[in-house]
Amino acid sequence: MTDKKICVAVIGGGQPTATEVKEAEEIGRALARRGVVLICGGLGGVMEAACRGADSENGVTVGILPGDSRRAANRYVQIPIVTGIGYARNVAVVKSAHAVIAIGGSYGTLTEIGHALQSGIPVVGLNTWGISRNGREDGSIFPAKTPADAVEMALELAGAGE
Amino acid sequence: MTDKKICVAVIGGGQPTATEVKEAEEIGRALARRGVVLICGGLGGVMEAACRGADSENGVTVGILPGDSRRAANRYVQIPIVTGIGYARNVAVVKSAHAVIAIGGSYGTLTEIGHALQSGIPVVGLNTWGISRNGREDGSIFPAKTPADAVEMALELAGAGE
Amino acid sequence: MTDKKICVAVIGGGQPTATEVKEAEEIGRALARRGVVLICGGLGGVMEAACRGADSENGVTVGILPGDSRRAANRYVQIPIVTGIGYARNVAVVKSAHAVIAIGGSYGTLTEIGHALQSGIPVVGLNTWGISRNGREDGSIFPAKTPADAVEMALELAGAGE
Amino acid sequence: MTDKKICVAVIGGGQPTATEVKEAEEIGRALARRGVVLICGGLGGVMEAACRGADSENGVTVGILPGDSRRAANRYVQIPIVTGIGYARNVAVVKSAHAVIAIGGSYGTLTEIGHALQSGIPVVGLNTWGISRNGREDGSIFPAKTPADAVEMALELAGAGE
């Protein structure tokens, strides 16, 4: 029988800032060193940076792709999941994780945050979306100050969510 | 050949306030009077209220259901679409519309707002989610003051999006 | 409250023979005359022919599209459902129907037949796929001899499946 | 940079015969010994037997689950992908593979065969479905005589499909 590993999704935009790229890579490295499986959307930007970090530390990287071809996966994805269901794959990205780390990001990232919260999967945010419900701030996204911080928080929340 | 009708999605929570129920019903009625097809997630709460309003004015109501059974549709859904894909159906709800009206709502509504914005479909909000990107407000959701206002804005935006 | 209408899906290939086109159109007409809502995949070939038939008799036509744009719908689709989930939408095409009529068709049609049988939705076939399980014929597809025959069988099975 | 591994999906029913269980396990073992990543639907029966075989040889096992919980995965799935999209996940099971091996199976397996053939992914069959199009046999499923045979054929076809 296999020990189930902790899985953490790293989500964020395809066109990140240089800072976000660094942060994603650092998070990928830290997750890999902790033996965590990295789940992501498999494409470029934050996804690629996180995979590159994890891969550099011999971590396992899973890319859940929106399209019909594994060729769209960034080169650091070891296990490409080819869904063919477009952005509906955002649901699978977060549902496959024990916790989610959001770095910056655009509307796709916003949907992933929403799908995670809807499914009760904890979300740690690094300079990402803020959400307010009818004018009142919603505090469900745990704010992290640094990449190291984000990883610690995600692992703690992932364990609690078990 | 068939004239394609304008389709507007009304999204919102399954457990709305009494005010939200009234607003959804009024919006449903107004859309139907304008000959608009009402798209929604097919379940209760805001979805049911909007369908009830549209149905009372002989409008067409489409419910895009998450589960495996058409029996889950509220009684005012005339055309139930049974997807079996769970919350991934949220993508189809907004993509099937020329414009979206969000009334209050919880995380599911937030995902629909995100999917709409990601796909370039205009979103009108009535006391719904506010979003900010890394601390800076994102003004993509058009705020409406009243149900009548929301319908006018949605129709204008729907036409522009054609 | 709304009377729920009987929904029948007509499935088949995008590149049908001339005979299949005629059959699909005749089936569309017959379904519309019986007040049945026509469900289909929304594209060309058998789907378009069935919609054209239904539309000519003022029937309601629903096209559940695989892609991201309603513009892909054939011109006789009155209510385009834009799923963006690719061929995974085949599941929704059959699940949204009380019964399915398959006309000819290629592998996409085969998947729809399989998804219908998996969900317990009756399938009537007109010169379509035959299936055998480990060498033994599987008799789950009801063979029709003519379009009129197919419609009668589908309506009877749809009623039974209620 | 990571070497992309060959991925083979093993598909089949949740309630296999004793022979099918043995075959699936043998196939899982053989794939793992060849360094192939095993893709499957993540549940019981043929899926579990194949994962058990692969796991016993330290192979990598991926289970693409239909539901909302990783707990539904069989105990030999190392990387559970939680899709929440129901049987629409069948599309992702086959699209994520370079080749598919079908063992027996029911209608779900039939849909996976259809989706694979529709996407041009080669299918090797072991006592599984046979398909004929309008009375004429469709020879697209490569028939294997033994589990070892199935693995050889799948690997050859997977390479060709690269």
Side-chain angles (χ1 to χ4, degrees):
Chain A
M1 182 187 157
T2 315
D3 280 335
K4 288 290 186 307
K5 295 200 169 171
I6 294 291
C7 299
V8 171
V10 176
I11 63 175
Q15 301 181 325
T17 65
T19 302
E20 289 168 351
V21 166
K22 269 195 190 170
E23 292 171 337
E25 195 167 343
E26 185 178 339
I27 285 171
R29 280 197 305 268
L31 290 172
R33 282 194 298 260
R34 303 287 285 264
V36 172
V37 173
L38 173 67
I39 309 285
C40 73
L43 302 177
V46 158
M47 299 168 263
E48 179 165 359
C51 287
R52 187 168 56 237
D55 191 61
S56 74
E57 296 280 347
N58 298 313
V60 175
T61 59
V62 177
I64 304 181
L65 296 160
D68 289 312
S69 167
R70 65 180 59 235
R71 287 169 212 270
N74 71 62
R75 63 200 323 206
Y76 307 103
V77 169
Q78 292 158 13
I79 301 177
I81 305 296
V82 184
T83 69
I85 59 170
Y87 291 125
R89 75 79 152 84
N90 293 7
V91 181
V93 169
V94 297
K95 274 185 182 292
S96 297
H98 292 92
V100 173
I101 298 174
I103 304 170
S106 187
Y107 296 122
T109 304
L110 178 63
T111 69
E112 291 172 318
I113 290 172
H115 285 298
L117 296 177
Q118 185 174 33
S119 295
I121 297 163
V123 178
V124 175
L126 198 59
N127 302 325
T128 188
W129 289 95
I131 52 178
S132 61
R133 209 193 282 230
N134 201 2
R136 221 175 287 182
E137 203 185 331
D138 176 300
S140 300
I141 303 171
F142 294 91
K145 294 225 171 94
T146 65
D149 201 19
V151 169
E152 288 316 304
M153 291 168 74
L155 290 183
E156 195 170 325
L157 290 161
E162 271 298 78
Chain B
M1 181 186 159
T2 315
D3 280 335
K4 288 290 187 307
K5 294 200 170 171
I6 295 291
C7 298
V8 171
V10 176
I11 63 176
Q15 302 181 323
T17 64
T19 302
E20 289 167 352
V21 167
K22 267 194 190 170
E23 292 170 338
E25 195 167 343
E26 185 178 339
I27 286 170
R29 278 196 305 267
L31 290 171
R33 281 193 299 259
R34 303 287 286 264
V36 172
V37 173
L38 172 67
I39 308 286
C40 74
L43 301 178
V46 158
M47 298 167 263
E48 180 165 358
C51 286
R52 188 169 54 239
D55 190 60
S56 74
E57 296 280 348
N58 298 313
V60 175
T61 60
V62 177
I64 303 181
L65 296 160
D68 290 312
S69 169
R70 65 180 58 233
R71 287 169 212 270
N74 72 61
R75 64 202 321 207
Y76 307 103
V77 169
Q78 292 158 14
I79 300 178
I81 305 296
V82 184
T83 68
I85 60 170
Y87 291 124
R89 74 80 151 84
N90 293 7
V91 180
V93 169
V94 297
K95 274 186 181 291
S96 298
H98 292 91
V100 173
I101 299 173
I103 305 171
S106 186
Y107 297 122
T109 303
L110 178 62
T111 68
E112 291 172 320
I113 290 171
H115 285 298
L117 295 177
Q118 186 175 31
S119 296
I121 297 162
V123 178
V124 175
L126 199 59
N127 302 324
T128 189
W129 289 95
I131 53 177
S132 62
R133 211 191 280 229
N134 201 3
R136 220 176 287 181
E137 203 184 333
D138 177 299
S140 301
I141 304 171
F142 295 90
K145 294 225 172 93
T146 64
D149 200 20
V151 169
E152 287 317 304
M153 291 167 73
L155 290 183
E156 195 170 326
L157 291 160
E162 273 297 79
Chain C
M1 184 186 158
T2 316
D3 280 335
K4 289 291 187 306
K5 295 199 170 172
I6 295 290
C7 299
V8 171
V10 176
I11 63 176
Q15 301 181 324
T17 64
T19 302
E20 288 167 351
V21 167
K22 267 196 191 169
E23 291 171 338
E25 195 167 343
E26 184 178 341
I27 286 170
R29 279 197 305 268
L31 289 172
R33 282 194 298 259
R34 303 287 285 262
V36 171
V37 173
L38 173 68
I39 309 284
C40 74
L43 302 177
V46 157
M47 298 168 264
E48 181 166 359
C51 287
R52 188 168 55 238
D55 190 62
S56 73
E57 296 280 347
N58 298 312
V60 175
T61 59
V62 177
I64 303 180
L65 296 160
D68 289 312
S69 168
R70 65 181 58 236
R71 287 170 211 271
N74 72 62
R75 65 203 317 209
Y76 306 103
V77 169
Q78 293 157 13
I79 300 178
I81 305 296
V82 184
T83 69
I85 60 170
Y87 291 126
R89 74 76 152 87
N90 293 7
V91 179
V93 169
V94 297
K95 275 186 181 291
S96 297
H98 293 91
V100 173
I101 299 174
I103 304 171
S106 186
Y107 297 122
T109 304
L110 178 62
T111 68
E112 291 173 319
I113 291 171
H115 284 298
L117 296 177
Q118 186 175 30
S119 296
I121 297 163
V123 178
V124 175
L126 198 60
N127 302 324
T128 188
W129 289 95
I131 52 178
S132 60
R133 210 193 281 228
N134 201 2
R136 219 174 288 181
E137 202 185 333
D138 176 299
S140 300
I141 303 171
F142 295 90
K145 295 224 171 93
T146 65
D149 201 19
V151 168
E152 287 315 305
M153 291 168 74
L155 289 183
E156 195 170 325
L157 291 160
E162 273 297 81
Chain D
M1 184 186 156
T2 316
D3 280 336
K4 288 291 187 305
K5 296 200 168 170
I6 295 290
C7 299
V8 171
V10 176
I11 64 176
Q15 302 181 324
T17 65
T19 302
E20 288 167 351
V21 167
K22 269 195 190 169
E23 293 170 337
E25 197 167 341
E26 184 178 340
I27 286 170
R29 278 197 306 268
L31 290 172
R33 281 194 299 260
R34 304 288 285 264
V36 172
V37 173
L38 172 67
I39 308 284
C40 73
L43 301 177
V46 158
M47 298 168 263
E48 181 166 358
C51 286
R52 189 169 53 239
D55 190 62
S56 74
E57 296 280 348
N58 298 313
V60 175
T61 60
V62 177
I64 303 180
L65 296 161
D68 289 311
S69 169
R70 63 180 60 233
R71 287 169 211 273
N74 72 62
R75 63 200 325 206
Y76 307 103
V77 169
Q78 292 156 16
I79 301 177
I81 305 296
V82 184
T83 69
I85 60 170
Y87 291 125
R89 75 79 153 84
N90 293 6
V91 179
V93 169
V94 299
K95 274 185 181 292
S96 297
H98 292 92
V100 173
I101 300 174
I103 305 170
S106 186
Y107 297 122
T109 303
L110 178 62
T111 68
E112 290 172 320
I113 291 171
H115 284 298
L117 297 176
Q118 185 175 31
S119 295
I121 297 162
V123 179
V124 176
L126 199 60
N127 301 325
T128 189
W129 289 94
I131 52 177
S132 61
R133 209 192 282 229
N134 201 2
R136 220 176 287 182
E137 203 183 333
D138 176 299
S140 301
I141 303 170
F142 294 90
K145 294 225 170 94
T146 65
D149 200 20
V151 168
E152 288 316 304
M153 291 167 73
L155 290 183
E156 195 169 325
L157 291 160
E162 272 298 79

